[in-house]
Amino acid sequence: MATTAAPAGGARNGAGPEWGGFEENIQGGGSAVIDMENMDDTSGSSFEDMGELHQRLREEEVDADAAAAEEEDGEFLGMKGFKGQLSRQVADQMWQAGKRQASRAFSLYANIDILRPYFDVEPAQVRSRLLESMIPIKMVNFPQKIAGELYGPLMLVFTLVAILLHGMKTSDTIIREGTLMGTAIGTCFGYWLGVSSFIYFLAYLCNAQITMLQMLALLGYGLFGHCIVLFITYNIHLHALFYLFWLLLGGLSTLRMVAVLVSRTVGPTQRLLLCGTLAALHMLFLLYLHFAYHKVVEGILDTLEGPNIPPMQRVPRDIPAALPAARLPATVLNATAKAVAVTLQSH
Amino acid sequence: MAEAAESPGDPGTASPRPLFAGLSDISISQDIPVEGEITIPMRSRIREFDSSTLNESVQNTIMRDLKAVGKKFMHVLYPRKSNTLLRDWDLWGPLILCVTLALMLQRGSVDSEKDGGPQFAEVFVIVWFGAVTITLNSKLLGGNISFFQSLCVLGYCILPLTVAMLVCRLVLLAEPGPINFMVRFFVVIVMFAWSIIASTAFLADSQPPNRKALAVYPVFLFYFVISWMILTFTP
């Protein structure tokens, strides 16, 4: 067997150096390139290819192992073996680093996937749920259905943030520490998450059949009434109109939530406690949002129209010192126009 | 070492696999159109080793990038069915637009009494936080677009609104009055519509067909807040 194999073996040995070198070049160069590219990919921007990357990394490890094994059984054990070990070590290290990054990206992506079912809605569904949030159903014997969905509530909260921002701007609200945006977001999300958690806690105490997700969806859709009321009354400053809307729209959306909660609770005391708390919080929140940024408008109007004119008059009186006297009438006119513009804009 | 004991059995079959497995992996990964975006910088880097952009002047490099950004601006101003904005995204354009907008919205408030105007940080945060929220929302709705692609499109589509802001500042140099306000109102409304149309032209295809309205609503809200800030701006 040794004799028959000798020519082939000899031939192989003869070709060995070139082929070995070539092989190793390809292998070493190839693996280095792959590793660098993988590093690029993971430090890159997309998460989509993580699955493939992970798989590729694993395959590559197998390849590296095979390469190392192959090199060890070759004839050139000295330098080549050392290089093989080195490349294997480098590959190992690269794989570890890649794995760490990939798993981190995976966990982020998995979190998005966990949330995805709650956003599985159609536009028509959202529309009908928005309408239903204003229609209380008088059915207390049988637990009413609550759609466990977060798209609508989240969008309503963002809408409320935008409306609140609008209200703050038109009323020239001044917030010392922090921005208007932060305050608006904090108020809306704080109300949504905070009251949901609180009512969920109360519901747990009162033995109501409701989950946290359902509570979030219920309260979120309940904000639809708030959005409408605030959007209208921030633009039309009429107290009677606001109170009408407050009772009508705010009351309807509150009634809807109360009806749902009543149908899912047993016992009059528990029902009273749970629904009373929710109704009071919900209605008072609308009242707060309206008047917190409405009062300021009135205050400004008072300062503009009332006897506190002197600070306004100081402006033209100070300017003539620096400017020619001819500009005085124009400046006064300008100031008046500005005051008119402010009044117009706030209405 | 365990593999070393097994592999002498068939060295002939074992050797080609490691040779070509790695190589085929590379070529496949570069040809998949879904991730073509990500591999383009890498491929260009490989090409750069050949043509060696290391030797070219800094001016050339900057001009090339600026040209790419400018081309994308043109795509936003004249939105048509093209995915250049999606394919090679960058965040330079959005950064430039966002900073320009924030700088122009920053009112020179010497008096700290009336500090209700939009500040630089506020505009910056609204733009980026809003874009990230829209992107996450579109991902949650099942859109097949990568995070930064969406961020890039939303950022570039602020361009009409930045133009509107520029026009508003110029108009505000004239004397204030109802006509002045009407002109600004008109400009902002037109540019707002333009932003919406441009961004939906790029983003709508990535959404499932029955859910486009759901994905477009937050985009509408986002641009609405920004355009409203522009409209109510007074120096």
Side-chain angles (χ1 to χ4, degrees), chain A residues 142-220:
Chain A
F142 194 74
Q144 293 179 20
K145 255 181 85 173
I146 309 173
E149 172 238 330
L150 289 180
Y151 173 83
L154 206 63
M155 285 306 129
L156 277 173
V157 171
F158 277 120
T159 313
L160 194 60
V161 168
I163 293 171
L164 216 57
L165 213 60
H166 168 79
M168 287 175 174
K169 284 283 172 54
T170 46
S171 66
D172 267 345
T173 305
I174 297 160
I175 289 158
R176 288 274 165 213
E177 313 280 327
T179 58
L180 297 180
M181 185 75 188
T183 317
I185 287 184
T187 312
C188 296
F189 273 95
Y191 175 76
W192 183 44
L193 298 175
V195 171
S196 292
S197 319
F198 179 64
I199 297 292
Y200 177 66
F201 174 66
L202 271 188
Y204 176 74
L205 291 185
C206 298
N207 215 1
Q209 295 174 344
I210 194 164
T211 62
M212 186 66 194
L213 174 70
Q214 285 171 327
M215 196 59 234
L216 281 174
L218 189 66
L219 192 68

Side-chain angles (χ1 to χ4, degrees), chain B residues 54-142:
Chain B
L54 280 176
N55 289 334
E56 80 176 9
S57 62
V58 178
Q59 192 194 358
N60 281 3
T61 315
I62 291 176
M63 283 313 287
R64 196 179 46 224
D65 288 349
L66 280 182
K67 224 175 271 175
V69 171
K71 206 192 272 174
K72 281 173 200 151
F73 278 172
M74 288 316 293
H75 272 288
V76 173
L77 287 181
Y78 179 53
R80 54 191 166 231
K81 290 284 173 196
S82 147
N83 54 0
T84 312
L85 214 54
L86 293 180
R87 213 174 49 238
D88 18 87
W89 54 266
D90 68 75
L91 295 180
W92 284 114
L95 182 71
I96 293 168
L97 288 175
C98 175
V99 168
T100 315
L101 188 68
L103 278 178
M104 281 199 286
L105 273 174
Q106 171 88 4
R107 96 168 90 194
S109 58
V110 185
D111 49 343
S112 54
E113 277 298 309
K114 288 191 74 173
D115 224 8
Q119 299 300 307
F120 185 87
E122 194 185 345
V123 179
F124 209 82
V125 166
I126 285 180
V127 169
W128 290 107
F129 178 78
V132 166
T133 308
I134 292 169
T135 306
L136 282 182
N137 178 59
S138 75
K139 295 255 355 149
L140 285 170
L141 285 174

Side-chain angles (χ1 to χ4, degrees), chain A residues 26 37 40 45-46 49 52 56 59 63 72 116 119-123 151 158-159 166 169 174, chain B residues 1 15 17 19 25 29 35 38 42 45 89 113 126 133 139-141 148 210-211 214 217 228:
Chain A
I26 295 268
E37 281 171 4
D40 275 1
S45 44
S46 179
D49 54 346
E52 198 213 351
R56 207 199 301 167
E59 278 176 15
D63 287 352
E72 268 181 20
R116 199 159 279 170
F119 285 75
D120 188 21
V121 278
E122 305 287 321
Y151 173 83
F158 277 120
T159 313
H166 168 79
K169 284 283 172 54
I174 297 160
Chain B
M1 306 310 148
S15 58
R17 213 186 85 74
L19 250 182
D25 264 350
S29 72
E35 60 161 344
I38 294 117
M42 186 173 77
R45 198 175 305 147
W89 54 266
E113 277 298 309
I126 285 180
T133 308
K139 295 255 355 149
L140 285 170
L141 285 174
F148 285 98
N210 49 349
R211 284 191 193 165
L214 298 181
Y217 176 68
W228 192 81

Side-chain angles (χ1 to χ4, degrees), chain A:
Chain A
M1 180 190 164
T3 50
T4 50
R12 198 172 156 236
N13 278 355
E18 293 99 44
W19 276 106
F22 181 54
E23 236 167 65
E24 190 176 323
N25 273 346
I26 295 268
Q27 195 58 47
S31 68
V33 166
I34 290 169
D35 286 341
M36 291 320 286
E37 281 171 4
N38 284 339
M39 293 309 285
D40 275 1
D41 269 4
T42 43
S43 65
S45 44
S46 179
F47 304 126
E48 270 94 327
D49 54 346
M50 279 304 161
E52 198 213 351
L53 174 68
H54 201 253
Q55 203 178 358
R56 207 199 301 167
L57 280 170
R58 193 166 286 164
E59 278 176 15
E60 195 187 309
E61 190 207 28
V62 174
D63 287 352
D65 281 350
E70 188 202 3
E71 275 163 9
E72 268 181 20
D73 82 306
E75 289 90 343
F76 309 93
L77 264 180
M79 198 56 196
K80 217 172 163 186
F82 175 66
K83 271 191 186 171
Q85 260 189 353
L86 192 70
S87 77
R88 184 183 171 150
Q89 231 172 22
V90 169
D92 241 17
Q93 227 169 21
M94 291 295 188
W95 189 71
Q96 287 295 339
K99 191 175 137 187
R100 225 176 304 124
Q101 285 195 349
S103 64
R104 209 184 314 141
F106 260 140
S107 66
L108 181 71
Y109 211 51
N111 281 341
I112 289 179
D113 273 340
I114 287 170
L115 285 175
R116 199 159 279 170
Y118 307 131
F119 285 75
D120 188 21
V121 278
E122 305 287 321
Q125 278 177 315
V126 174
R127 210 180 309 131
S128 64
R129 276 172 200 165
L130 283 178
L131 285 179
E132 279 165 15
S133 77
M134 305 294 292
I135 304 166
I137 303 165
K138 202 185 161 201
M139 178 178 71
V140 280
N141 304 325
F142 194 74
Q144 293 179 20
K145 255 181 85 173
I146 309 173
E149 172 238 330
L150 289 180
Y151 173 83
L154 206 63
M155 285 306 129
L156 277 173
V157 171
F158 277 120
T159 313
L160 194 60
V161 168
I163 293 171
L164 216 57
L165 213 60
H166 168 79
M168 287 175 174
K169 284 283 172 54
T170 46
S171 66
D172 267 345
T173 305
I174 297 160
I175 289 158
R176 288 274 165 213
E177 313 280 327
T179 58
L180 297 180
M181 185 75 188
T183 317
I185 287 184
T187 312
C188 296
F189 273 95
Y191 175 76
W192 183 44
L193 298 175
V195 171
S196 292
S197 319
F198 179 64
I199 297 292
Y200 177 66
F201 174 66
L202 271 188
Y204 176 74
L205 291 185
C206 298
N207 215 1
Q209 295 174 344
I210 194 164
T211 62
M212 186 66 194
L213 174 70
Q214 285 171 327
M215 196 59 234
L216 281 174
L218 189 66
L219 192 68
Y221 274 112
L223 288 174
F224 182 52
H226 283 34
C227 285
I228 297 175
V229 173
L230 288 176
F231 184 69
I232 293 171
T233 56
Y234 274 150
N235 294 308
I236 306 166
H237 299 287
L238 268 179
H239 281 270
L241 190 73
F242 170 70
Y243 283 120
L244 184 71
F245 277 152
W246 179 63
L247 279 180
L248 202 71
L249 296 181
L252 275 179
S253 66
T254 311
L255 264 183
R256 155 85 185 180
M257 292 198 296
V258 164
V260 170
L261 274 183
V262 163
S263 73
R264 288 176 164 257
T265 323
V266 279
T269 323
Q270 284 93 329
R271 281 178 176 174
L272 190 66
L273 178 67
L274 198 60
C275 300
T277 317
L278 181 64
L281 281 174
H282 204 62
M283 295 298 274
L284 286 177
F285 182 61
L286 182 53
L287 212 59
Y288 163 74
L289 284 186
H290 181 73
F291 282 108
Y293 307 112
H294 194 82
K295 220 172 169 182
V296 189
V297 174
E298 289 179 341
I300 285 173
L301 289 182
D302 280 348
T303 52
L304 282 180
E305 292 161 358
N308 295 347
I309 292 275
M312 292 291 291
Q313 279 179 346
R314 209 178 57 210
V315 181
R317 222 190 307 155
D318 283 348
I319 286 173
L323 289 172
R327 290 286 298 276
L328 180 59
T331 332
V332 173
L333 210 68
N334 240 352
T336 331
K338 251 182 208 166
V340 170
V342 166
T343 329
L344 277 178
Q345 266 188 4
S346 57
H347 272 288

